[in-house]
Amino acid sequence: MPKPVSIPRRAFLQASSAAAWTIAAAPSVLRACTAEQELHVAVVGVNGMGWSDLSQVGSHAKVKFVGFCDIDTQRFDLVDKAFPGVKHFADYRLMLSELADKVDAVIVSTPDHMHAPAAMMAMGMGKHIYCQKPLTHTVWEARQMRLLAQKKNLTTQMGNQIHSAKEYRLGVKLIQDGAIGKIKEVHSWIGVQGRQYCKRTDRPESAPVPNHVQWDLWLGAAPERPFAPDIYHPFKWRDWQDFGSGALGDFGCHILDPVFSALLLTAPTSLVAQNDGTTNEVWPGPETITYLFPPTKYTIDSPIQVVWRDGGLKPPRELAQLPEGVELPGGGSLFIGETGTMVLPHVGMPSLYEANKAKNVPLPQIAGTNHWHDWVDAVIAGKKTTDGFEYAGPLTETVQLGNIAARLPGKTLQWDAAKLALAGDPAAAALLSKSYRKGFDVPAVV
Ligand SMILES: NC(=O)c1ccc[n+]([C@@H]2O[C@H](COP(=O)([O-])OP(=O)(O)OC[C@H]3O[C@@H](n4cnc5c(N)ncnc54)[C@H](O)[C@@H]3O)[C@@H](O)[C@H]2O)c1
């Protein structure tokens, strides 16, 4: 199995103080205790979804937590009750360096802008990773995460847990079994919109930082800005471009996941967004992103259109061939095949239709699995998961490409995945990556 490695504390401190740790430079030391006996896990971000992640991972008999990191001292109460005695940290860099030889694997459940800085540092040290969706904040970061996981031969899993649920797995199986023939186009949608939570488009007045919050560490890689209560931390950071990824980033890695899995999609060749315009601060309101993908063995033999809608927009009902009285769900995907349609709700069992009636195909029985335990088991067995970064990376690249298009509505972008390039469009290409605040860089994988 892949062995966990670590970097010595002094080397880390020297490197991080220069804000220049590099993947190639990380020396490795093996942890004495093998993961076959007990898997030692550290967590970055222990409340919100982090609490769901760690309570699921912690319910695995072989998992032992060795470090909990959160920038808010008031957010440790749940973990302390459930897993008492685990050391607290505010800075993941110090946690990883101090526990370098005690940790096998790391859960990253911070806001989106800190996934790559934390996960890339941990992977550079040879740690296996469970990282929340969207895997990263930018397209470039998603590529680096995939490359580093591959280079270090790590067991990884993205936190779009419905990937392993029976509903999505059945949807994937039905499409691949040909229940509605080859797929001609797909429509995916969610009722949430990009600026759902703060209801504003400009920055608020600054306010004093409460004693329990380490605002500088919360900002991490993002450009400095003053604290404001009930605007960013917790949860509402989603609306802001510097921290979150809007409705598409929040739900795209869930809802487009069975589309990717079923059709074996990897990368779009072009995309274009429509919305009511946006500022440089927050994500747009209701939007449509139209992607074109190359055909695969599960699609018809011409470019396949996948349309994303959010903010209450839905595909035209008649496309679904629904019988009278049946409506499209609040979120999900509509697959249009040669011989019928399939509606896969987010989250619900798939339904098949043909010419305005339910399609009478016996649905196969398919079981779901525990997404978190699948990761733990795979780490221990030295195996890969079905939602590792080799899969989750391209899915997240697609989602975050959509967010580039959303900032340039009406412009058709041409994507060259092999070259990581948006050809002929410097304004769009500039949004593939971003700059990092000193001390929180994400190095390129060389
Ligand atoms: N898979 C799902 O169904 C699902 C659901 C909700 C959220 N998420 C994802 O989980 C992540 C967290 O979202 P959330 O809603 O829980 O956010 P949140 O703001 O409610 O919680 C984040 C937690 O991380 C802590 N934190 C923030 N920055 C940190 C840092 N630099 N170091 C350590 N701790 C830090 C916060 O104090 C908080 O406890 C996001 O990426 C989000 O997209 C996934």
Side-chain angles (χ1 to χ4, degrees):
M1 63 167 292
K3 290 288 181 194
V5 293
S6 64
I7 62 170
R9 180 178 166 77
R10 233 181 83 225
F12 162 72
L13 289 177
Q14 281 166 357
S16 63
S17 65
W21 64 275
T22 64
I23 305 307
S28 45
V29 176
L30 294 180
R31 189 169 81 80
C33 169
T34 66
E36 284 89 346
Q37 294 155 347
E38 203 170 52
L39 189 76
H40 287 190
V41 178
V43 185
V44 189
V46 300
N47 211 306
M49 194 60 199
W51 165 246
S52 303
D53 289 337
L54 72 87
S55 44
Q56 286 285 342
V57 167
S59 69
H60 192 291
K62 289 198 170 170
V63 166
K64 181 183 176 190
F65 290 117
V66 292
F68 286 148
C69 173
D70 204 292
I71 56 80
D72 186 339
T73 52
Q74 286 188 352
R75 291 177 69 86
F76 284 99
D77 48 345
L78 287 170
V79 286
D80 284 348
K81 220 169 167 186
F83 303 98
V86 178
K87 188 163 180 186
H88 291 187
F89 296 84
D91 187 333
Y92 68 87
R93 299 167 303 178
L94 293 181
M95 177 172 78
L96 291 175
S97 68
E98 190 173 316
L99 302 180
D101 56 355
K102 296 190 178 66
V103 173
D104 301 309
V106 177
I107 300 172
V108 178
S109 298
T110 62
D112 304 349
H113 71 292
M114 290 307 288
H115 289 182
M120 290 287 285
M121 179 178 173
M123 286 198 288
M125 299 166 74
K127 312 303 178 193
H128 307 282
I129 301 286
Y130 185 99
C131 183
Q132 259 312 322
K133 59 82 216 161
L135 188 60
T136 59
H137 196 216
T138 71
V139 175
W140 181 84
E141 287 176 345
R143 183 64 60 93
Q144 304 314 307
M145 292 270 270
R146 170 163 76 78
L147 293 176
L148 188 53
Q150 186 183 21
K151 181 171 179 166
K152 295 274 186 177
N153 191 24
L154 298 170
T155 303
T156 55
Q157 181 96 303
M158 182 162 72
N160 51 336
Q161 66 280 359
I162 305 146
H163 176 87
S164 300
K166 64 176 187 297
E167 293 86 354
Y168 276 11
R169 293 183 69 190
L170 177 57
V172 169
K173 181 166 170 47
L174 286 170
I175 295 297
Q176 294 191 342
D177 284 354
I180 56 169
K182 300 234 179 203
I183 302 306
K184 298 195 285 188
E185 62 184 80
V186 183
H187 297 259
S188 299
W189 68 100
I190 188 70
V192 171
Q193 63 153 299
R195 41 173 177 264
Q196 176 92 7
Y197 304 104
C198 294
K199 313 278 183 233
R200 59 186 305 146
T201 54
D202 58 340
R203 296 187 194 193
E205 295 286 297
S206 64
V209 182
N211 285 339
H212 55 91
V213 174
Q214 295 231 22
W215 181 240
D216 187 65
L217 293 177
W218 189 92
L219 281 174
E224 259 178 62
R225 72 170 68 192
F227 176 81
D230 201 29
I231 291 290
Y232 309 116
H233 165 71
F235 195 84
K236 293 188 176 175
W237 48 265
R238 284 167 165 72
D239 285 4
W240 300 88
Q241 291 182 13
D242 276 354
F243 314 120
S245 313
L248 174 59
D250 222 2
F251 288 92
C253 285
H254 284 307
I255 295 174
L256 294 173
D257 163 46
V259 180
F260 256 61
S261 290
L263 302 184
L264 302 181
L265 301 181
T266 52
T269 48
S270 73
L271 67 159
V272 60
Q274 286 169 311
N275 57 45
D276 63 353
T278 182
T279 70
N280 289 332
E281 292 284 3
V282 292
W283 293 105
E287 63 182 349
T288 303
I289 318 272
T290 304
Y291 297 96
L292 273 189
F293 287 88
T296 71
K297 67 176 178 175
Y298 296 112
T299 71
I300 56 166
D301 195 20
S302 54
I304 174 109
Q305 185 169 280
V306 176
V307 185
W308 170 266
R309 295 176 178 85
D310 60 46
L313 303 175
K314 284 185 182 180
R317 187 184 174 281
E318 55 275 17
L319 276 181
Q321 303 184 21
L322 300 174
E324 223 177 284
V326 178
E327 294 303 327
L328 290 169
S333 291
L334 163 64
F335 293 77
I336 299 174
E338 289 171 316
T339 62
T341 71
M342 183 179 90
V343 175
L344 180 58
H346 176 72
V347 177
M349 288 305 234
S351 299
L352 301 169
Y353 302 100
E354 63 186 345
N356 303 319
K357 62 177 201 282
K359 198 168 156 80
N360 267 336
V361 177
L363 294 188
Q365 293 293 315
I366 190 160
T369 59
N370 182 310
H371 197 61
W372 299 267
H373 286 200
D374 288 350
W375 172 66
V376 173
D377 288 336
V379 172
I380 290 170
K383 293 190 172 155
K384 302 291 181 211
T385 61
T386 55
D387 201 8
F389 298 172
E390 65 283 2
Y391 168 81
L395 172 56
T396 301
E397 285 185 18
T398 299
V399 163
Q400 295 297 13
L401 279 168
N403 272 337
I404 294 177
R407 282 178 276 185
L408 302 163
K411 244 187 184 187
T412 298
L413 308 180
Q414 307 295 332
W415 175 233
D416 184 337
K419 293 189 178 145
L420 196 73
L422 283 165
D425 196 330
L431 297 171
L432 287 168
S433 188
K434 62 181 186 182
S435 52
Y436 296 87
R437 213 151 59 94
K438 199 171 170 197
F440 298 94
D441 314 55
V442 174
V445 178
V446 286

